[in-house]
Amino acid sequence: MRHLARLADYCSITNMHTKNLAIVWAPNLLRSKQIESACFSGTAAFMEVRIQSVVVEFILNHVDVLFSSKLSSVIREGAG
């Protein structure tokens, strides 16, 4: 995720903003067996992928906070 966030830093050159990166990478990062099964129609699958891309975009926009050592230590202390 940090690598993708770093790629977004070069969006002025590559035109790959966090939204574009999320659209491309979300189906791979948040793969869903339900989407791959035959029970999902085209519209339902599109909506699921859209939700996945919003989640990945959020993660990319907040990668420093979500993957910081401070947050990890707070989570560990809260779990104990």
Side-chain angles (χ1 to χ4, degrees):
M1 292 308 262
R2 289 179 200 253
H3 176 69
L4 292 177
R6 274 188 242 122
L7 285 176
D9 291 339
Y10 296 97
C11 63
S12 62
I13 298 167
T14 64
N15 201 31
M16 291 300 284
H17 305 273
T18 54
K19 185 172 187 165
N20 293 344
L21 289 167
I23 290 168
V24 172
W25 283 96
N28 293 308
L29 295 172
L30 302 176
R31 175 170 257 149
S32 172
K33 298 270 186 199
Q34 292 175 338
I35 292 175
E36 294 173 3
S37 70
C39 67
F40 262 73
S41 68
T43 304
F46 175 76
M47 292 303 294
E48 186 74 18
V49 170
R50 187 168 176 244
I51 292 168
Q52 290 174 343
S53 69
V54 169
V55 170
V56 171
E57 183 180 4
F58 177 84
I59 292 170
L60 291 176
N61 285 326
H62 299 90
V63 74
D64 292 334
V65 174
L66 294 171
F67 296 102
S68 73
S69 58
K70 288 181 183 178
L71 182 62
S72 297
S73 64
V74 168
I75 291 171
R76 274 188 235 119
E77 289 173 8

